Amino acid sequence: MDLTRESAQYVKGVGPHRFKLLNRLGIQTIWDLLTYYPRRYEDRSQFIPIARTKVGEFHTIRGEVLVSGVRQTKTRKMSLFEIAVSDGSRIIYGVWFNQPYLKDYFRVGDKVILYGKVEVFQHLQMSSPEFEILTNDEEDSLHMGRVVPIYPLTQGLTQRPLRGIIYQSLERYLPDVKDPMPGVVVERYHPMVLARALQEVHFPTDFTQLKLARERIIFQEFFFLQMAIALRRRQITVKEGIRHQVEGKLLKDFSESLPFQWTGAQKRVIAEIAADLSSSRPMNRLLEGEVGSGKTLVAIYALLIAVQGKYQGAMMAPTEILAEQHYRTLQKWLAPLREKGWEIRVTLLTGEIAGPQKSQALAMIQMGQIHVVVGTHALIEENVRFHRLGLAVIDEQHRFGVDQRASLTRKGNHPDVLVMTATPIPRTLAMTVYGDLDISILDELPPGRKPIKSYWVEEEKRERVYRFIRQKTEEGRQVYIVYPLIEESEKVDLKAAVKMHRQLSKEIFPDLKVGLLHGKMKSLEKERVMEDFRDGVSQILVSTVVIEVGIDVPNATVMVIEHPERFGLSQLHQLRGRIGRGEHESYCILIGGVGAGFKPAPTDEVRDRLSAFVELSDGFRIAEKDLEIRGPGEFLGTRQHGLPELKLANLIRDQGILEQARGEAQQLLEQDSMLEKPENRLLRGELERLYTGKFEWALA
Ligand code: ADP
Ligand code: MG
């Protein structure tokens, strides 16, 4: 029986209504039910007496409801539902705001379990505790007298029935659960078979068994992830790619035309890239480095390697602004080569370029008259055909999915690929998550960069910030003022940014030129605004996050960020990378998000994030912190990688298990590279089920 296809609707206790509720939790099949893991557990074999609970800590208590009722709070704005619960040792109150309907759940005399943080507020209390009302048939061994699973819920579905449903599905279907892990791996690593682990993870015998069961399942999730990555990688590496000639006059002339020396890190990374390019195995390399660490220049060098061997290069960026910026940067750095007799033709391809201009560009690309094409995802449109694509550079990993990467490389005959990202992630994590990419790190900034001074000030200091801006512009410097634009409320935000611009230019700095830049503007308009700022015609640039990447104005030394709480840590750091690029001291100022005049007060998370930003300047430390705050899923955008989500496993917490799983996966593939041995057949089937359609299947 294929449990991944069997509907959960027919499990005892489900039915059409509850099935809909389960769907909301992402549960469709039996397998979804079996792998719907508890959020936490309660040891209900013994309860702590209420009198012995500690204020400020989370506890599970059991008692009887003495009183229950709804009242209005003093301000009369909210209704308050309260119960008083006693276990004979002391009374504790459970309180819920604005949920008067709860009064229908509880009756005086009911035996209840409450879980929450114990507080003192006139009396001992828990606010909005999780609760369960005990029934009389407490021989009911599912919900009491044992370690009990607590599941994430949805409105309309409470703990008890869900627990019952999962219990029923285990009873009925566990015998059909086959262990896809090869026996040797299970024996060596962890002797608990899958069915047993599932049983224990839902209804643990005790906490020791629970730990073992969780480890077993986490191991398996990582093992599959590692298998998939290894297979994906092999799928690339078995292909016959291009052997580039990595030395030559063009490259020498280029290096010599630069007004500076390569940094040590750039030299190292160029050597790594050159080694890949000269081998017949297609390169698939991730280049990580801080904003301003010189990635773009390294990428240009790599593109020139392709060009000198009569191949074409492509460079794809996530936004138009960035693509245009790259285009300009390329032209700037390639111009001096003209004097040495090299004519490198670069063209730009974005959604804005159309008509005869576009047709001409397309024709020239196809005929091989263009050496390097820079563009947005317009590059992967069907009508773009290369003469001989040799290297694809993809900037900003996070915004392109695996599929888009593949669409670009399909335009050549196994071209080499270099992916650049300015959101560095720790190497161990990168190795496992981007396991299909080799990694190069630019961990050295070009000399002469001054550390940026960062501040987080409250709204009340706005006047002072404006005075500071004035002072700096009088000294001849330029200023960015960044305004967030988030998709959900784009219209409102845009209005706010435009209004802010008007106020700044009309009232606060009427004597200065204040530019405005946002994504909704026409290309030409954007271009003009950027040019004005680059040329120093405007002193202040109010901008939505379109400047996040790619702008290079060394004279801009001040960046003010409005509503900093709306930006992620890495994103803030990216923004900050726009300043500190010249000889003058630079300042990054976050306004608001704290103090009086800011409502609501910043959450701990915001405080944590913004304080970390002000304290840390190293991109890798920032990335680590960001990862810690947001968790790996969101940080890495795992969905984009075409890999299935990890349900129990956590890439940071469980790194030890991850390493083991990785080792086992590699070993297994060395022994049975196509998973053809009979003992690996189940594993192969499971991998096919999990990954088919997610990426080109490597076992086919
Ligand atoms: P990234 O793409 O990592 O943000 P860029 O390649 O755009 O970095 O380089 C950032 C700035 O540093 C550019 O102004 C570039 O000219 C300069 N730069 C790059 N490499 C060096 C170097 N080795 N020495 C001095 N300046 C450099
Ligand atoms: Mg760059």
Side-chain angles (χ1 to χ4, degrees), residues 1 35 58 62 99 137 174 208 212 222 225 250 314 342 387 403 412 502 507 526 578 602-603 673 696:
M1 189 187 317
T35 56
F58 283 84
R62 174 161 82 151
Q99 287 168 269
D137 48 349
L174 269 194
T208 316
L212 292 173
F222 280 148
L225 180 71
L250 173 61
W342 300 102
H387 178 60
D403 302 344
R502 197 178 312 126
E507 294 164 28
K526 275 192 269 190
R578 296 300 115 208
T603 61
S673 67
E696 240 181 280

Side-chain angles (χ1 to χ4, degrees), residues 59-121:
H59 286 286
T60 307
I61 60 99
R62 174 161 82 151
E64 189 177 322
V65 177
L66 302 180
V67 191
S68 122
V70 180
R71 62 185 170 88
Q72 296 296 310
T73 56
K74 290 215 183 70
T75 49
R76 297 205 146 256
K77 294 241 172 63
M78 282 193 276
S79 84
L80 186 77
F81 172 68
E82 275 182 317
I83 56 174
V85 174
S86 167
D87 63 355
S89 77
R90 199 168 166 181
I91 292 174
I92 192 164
Y93 287 77
V95 300
W96 290 264
F97 289 96
N98 289 336
Q99 287 168 269
Y101 56 86
L102 283 177
K103 72 178 190 308
D104 300 328
Y105 282 106
F106 295 91
R107 239 159 262 139
V108 170
D110 276 351
K111 304 257 188 338
V112 294
I113 290 178
L114 299 183
Y115 169 83
K117 192 172 174 182
V118 176
E119 301 159 347
V120 187
F121 191 77

Side-chain angles (χ1 to χ4, degrees), residues 562-573:
E562 300 280 345
H563 290 294
E565 77 283 359
R566 294 217 212 149
F567 294 97
L569 190 48
S570 296
Q571 205 182 6
L572 284 170
H573 185 63

Side-chain angles (χ1 to χ4, degrees), residues 319-376:
T319 65
E320 223 148 81
I321 292 246
L322 185 54
E324 285 159 19
Q325 176 77 24
H326 280 324
Y327 175 64
R328 214 179 348 262
T329 308
L330 268 156
Q331 285 182 318
K332 170 177 147 194
W333 292 115
L334 297 180
L337 285 173
R338 199 164 293 147
E339 289 157 29
K340 303 189 179 187
W342 300 102
E343 171 75 24
I344 314 280
R345 280 186 302 271
V346 183
T347 198
L348 180 67
L349 213 54
T350 66
E352 296 279 321
I353 290 169
Q357 195 191 356
K358 183 173 178 181
S359 322
Q360 196 196 3
L362 290 178
M364 288 175 76
I365 295 167
Q366 187 161 10
M367 290 191 290
Q369 290 175 0
I370 295 290
H371 301 111
V372 180
V373 186
V374 184
T376 54

Side-chain angles (χ1 to χ4, degrees), residues 21 29 38 48 69 71 88 164 170 181 203 246 289 312 320 413 419 426 438 443 520 530 543 557:
L21 295 175
T29 66
I48 188 170
R71 62 185 170 88
L170 288 164
M181 296 282 278
F203 295 96
V246 295
Q312 289 168 297
E320 223 148 81
N413 194 13
V419 179
D438 293 303
D443 49 9
K520 286 269 153 24
M530 298 257 296
S543 164
T557 58

